[in-house]
Every structure is written in structure tokens, then in C-alpha cells.
Amino acid sequence: MELSQVEQYATGAHASLATCDSLEALASWHQQHLAKAGELTAFKKSVGKVAPEERKAFGMGVNQIAGKLEAAFKQKTTELKDAELALRLASENIDVSLPARPHRVGGYHPLTLMLREICGVFRDMGFTVYESPHVELDEMSFQLLNIPKHHPARDMQDTFFVSEDVVMRPHTSPGQIRAMRELGPGPVQVILPGMCYRNEDISARSEIQFHQVEGVLVGEHVRFSDLKGILLNFARRLFGPDQAIKMRGSYFPFTEPSVEVDIKCTLCHGEGCRICKHTGWLELLGAGLMHPVVLKNGGYDPTKVRGIAFGLGVARLALLRHQIEDIRLFFQNDCRFLSQFQ
Ligand code: DAH
């Protein structure tokens, strides 16, 4: 074995190192040349076959060659790692000047918007908001509103009973009693917005939960004409200055006289269409002069004080406003529907 043979080998090894273009290629080069079972180890081991007087020089020569190959390998490793890092940095570069990706933002539910609009109109007329419980006493929901137990007027609503004496309020009217008792004996002018619950068959026109807004105005000088003025103003604020209302005699146990109030059909403006069933009018709400029994239960002397009250369904107004024909859409939480109102 001659040192020149090892040198020749080393020249080849350096040349093949130069062609390595990835860390994987480098690893297999290392396996072939510098690892324990590699070719250089074989040369080191062959020192025994060298003539004794040349062994020292051979050994030193091989070690030198090995040192150079190790150094070259390290150098190449650093180069390749740097190159790979540079490549990654270039490819993963973030362009901060690009516009941000748009993402969808939430919005208000159409019923919330309608509710707020309604409250806004009444607020402008001097009403404040009074909130009363959703889970309510039978007494507040019916008895104090002049609907005794077993009275047939209870059939006007199919009520969810929590227990014998407690109900999920089927209308916002129990808030009338609470508001009068808490805010009286002076004048009271409040609206009572909130969710109500009834055991209805769910259809295009009715849901088992729905928002109502109740209105109450109590005072010594309150008259029926106030009711008419307030409701006409309300209809005009909501549906335009040409709007007209019509009162029809009706029956509610808590008002006397009682009326149902219609507005000119918002679609055909009174001409007659499918929505108003060709009558030109749409039912808007129930209202009336507060029944003396209710005023008394609210803590007032009905010979001295009068009150007006009204109750309207929020979804119904939203249906009219947006010309929607199915109330169920409001509760299905389909974003394609809901996002149209933002
Ligand atoms: N509470 C009635 C209902 O849920 C609506 C109503 C009618 C409220 C007449 C009133 C009223 O205050 O005076 O159907």
C-alpha cells in the first residue's frame, strides 16, 4: 500500500464532495468515506501492510488526508445548511404590503334591529323602557289583568305552565301591573319589550316564542285620543308619513273599550293585495283604555286616573318591513337569511 494510492482516493473523495447538493447527499457521502465502516478507515487499517520503515510517514500522511477530508466535510455541511436556510427564508417571506384577507363580521338579528327601532320611536315620544320577568306569576299574567282562573279568555293564549302558579309569560301585559306598582302612584309612561312564550303550532305565522312590545300610559289627563295619536305617530314613523290607521272594536279582558288597530297595507297602500287579503288593511296591534280593575290592581283610583295600553308583535312588523312571508325564518339561524339585514 502506497501513500499515493490514498492521495488518489482523497482527490476523488474531494471531487465527489463538491458535487453534493443536499444534506441527504452529504450524509451518504459521509457514510461512504468518513464513517467507521467507510473507505478512509480501511486505509487507516491497512497501515500494517506497509513496509515498516514507511509506516510512520504513511500513518502521518493518512491522518493528514483524513483531517483535510473532515474539514472539507464540515465546511460543505455549513454551506449547504446556510443555503437551505436562505432558500426557506426566501420562500416563506411574508409580504406585509398585501391587503389583509377579509373576514366576516357578525351583525344584529333583524328582530333585534326591529325591536330597537320600535323602542326608539316610543322613546322619542317620552316612553322609557321597563323590563319585567319572563317567568311570571299566574296572578300577574292573568288574575290581576282581570282574567280570573278558569276564565274563558285564558284560551286566547295557550300558556306554558311552570307550576300551578307560575307561567312562561304568554304576553308582556303582566309588566303593566309591575310597572304601575313600582313607578306609581304618579303618572307612568313606559314600554315593556320582551320575549313571550305560547304553546302554538309552529307555522309561517306563529312561533312558540316571540317578542312583544307593550305600552302603558297612566295619568289624570290621559284619554282615548292619546292612544290614537301615539299609534298614528308610531305607524307613520315606521312606515312613512302617508300612513293611516283604523281602529276596530274588539275584546281584551284588561281594556275597556278595547280595539284592534290596523294600518294601511304597506305593500299595496290600500289598493288590496294578496298580503292584506284584498282588504287594504293589515292588523297591527291590540289596545284600549285600561280596565278599572287593572288600574285598581296597579294601585290607582280608577275614578281619578285613566290609562291606555297597547301590545304589538315585533316579528309581525319585521315581516311587513322586509316583505317576508314566513316568521320561522327568524329563528332558523340561517346566516344567508340573517346577513341580509346588516
Ligand atoms: N296582551 C295582548 C296579547 O298578547 C295584546 C294586548 C292587547 C296588549 C290589548 C294590551 C292591550 O296592552 O291593551 O294578545
Side-chain angles (χ1 to χ4, degrees), residues 161-175:
F161 277 81
V162 176
S163 69
E164 205 185 323
D165 300 320
V166 179
V167 301
M168 299 302 292
R169 66 174 176 198
H171 51 182
T172 40
S173 305

Side-chain angles (χ1 to χ4, degrees), residues 130 139-141 144-145 173-182 192 216 290 293-295 297-299:
Y130 184 90
E139 188 190 17
M140 291 282 174
S141 307
L144 297 172
L145 290 171
S173 305
Q176 289 187 21
I177 303 289
R178 289 190 181 272
M180 284 189 287
R181 286 187 175 179
E182 188 182 326
L192 314 156
V216 179
M290 285 169 89
V293 168
V294 177
L295 279 172
N297 289 335

Side-chain angles (χ1 to χ4, degrees), residues 20-287:
C20 288
D21 56 1
S22 69
L23 287 172
E24 293 85 63
L26 206 58
S28 70
W29 182 92
H30 186 269
Q31 195 69 24
Q32 188 186 342
H33 299 285
L34 297 182
K36 256 201 188 130
E39 293 183 21
L40 200 64
T41 314
F43 283 121
K44 282 180 184 167
K45 281 182 184 159
S46 68
V47 74
K49 293 178 201 152
V50 176
E53 63 278 12
E54 287 171 16
R55 261 183 212 159
K56 193 175 170 193
F58 181 86
M60 279 168 58
V62 171
N63 279 343
Q64 219 172 29
I65 288 166
K68 278 189 187 153
L69 277 176
E70 293 275 3
F73 171 75
K74 268 196 194 136
Q75 161 93 16
K76 186 76 183 175
T77 307
T78 318
E79 275 172 24
L80 281 180
K81 276 193 175 157
D82 285 354
E84 281 194 10
L85 182 66
L87 203 71
R88 231 179 66 208
L89 286 178
S91 68
E92 289 175 11
N93 201 2
I94 295 169
D95 184 350
V96 291
S97 68
L98 284 174
R101 263 187 223 131
H103 63 93
R104 289 174 55 174
V105 290
Y108 288 109
H109 192 281
L111 290 179
T112 305
L113 294 173
M114 193 72 239
L115 194 60
R116 288 188 177 184
E117 193 179 340
I118 294 168
C119 291
V121 171
F122 285 117
R123 189 184 50 226
D124 290 351
M125 288 191 261
F127 287 81
T128 54
V129 168
Y130 184 90
E131 295 204 58
S132 72
H134 294 220
V135 182
E136 184 54 284
L137 296 171
D138 179 286
E139 188 190 17
M140 291 282 174
S141 307
F142 299 115
Q143 296 165 50
L144 297 172
L145 290 171
N146 200 28
I147 315 174
K149 289 218 165 193
H150 312 298
H151 190 284
R154 287 193 177 216
D155 290 346
M156 287 167 97
Q157 305 111 358
D158 201 346
T159 307
F160 287 117
F161 277 81
V162 176
S163 69
E164 205 185 323
D165 300 320
V166 179
V167 301
M168 299 302 292
R169 66 174 176 198
H171 51 182
T172 40
S173 305
Q176 289 187 21
I177 303 289
R178 289 190 181 272
M180 284 189 287
R181 286 187 175 179
E182 188 182 326
L183 307 174
V188 170
Q189 186 175 7
V190 291
I191 48 168
L192 314 156
M195 190 72 89
C196 302
Y197 311 85
R198 283 184 202 176
N199 187 15
E200 304 263 5
D201 288 335
I202 294 173
S203 71
R205 308 211 129 239
S206 61
E207 264 283 353
I208 58 168
Q209 56 174 60
F210 50 92
H211 294 91
Q212 280 191 345
V213 176
E214 187 96 3
V216 179
L217 177 61
V218 182
E220 280 179 30
H221 306 293
V222 172
R223 304 161 176 216
F224 198 86
S225 56
D226 292 321
L227 181 64
K228 202 170 171 192
I230 287 166
L231 295 179
L232 180 61
N233 188 22
F234 172 71
R236 289 186 169 166
R237 285 282 304 272
L238 232 55
F239 293 104
D242 303 331
Q243 193 45 261
I245 61 170
K246 185 172 83 171
M247 287 180 157
R248 279 181 290 115
S250 185
Y251 171 74
F252 298 102
F254 28 85
T255 42
E256 181 58 40
S258 302
V259 290
E260 271 176 289
V261 179
D262 298 341
I263 52 165
K264 269 237 178 84
C265 178
T266 51
L267 262 158
C268 66
H269 305 288
E271 299 288 313
C273 69
R274 194 168 55 85
I275 296 297
C276 62
K277 298 198 186 91
H278 302 283
T279 62
W281 295 92
L282 292 164
E283 194 184 313
L284 187 63
L285 50 81

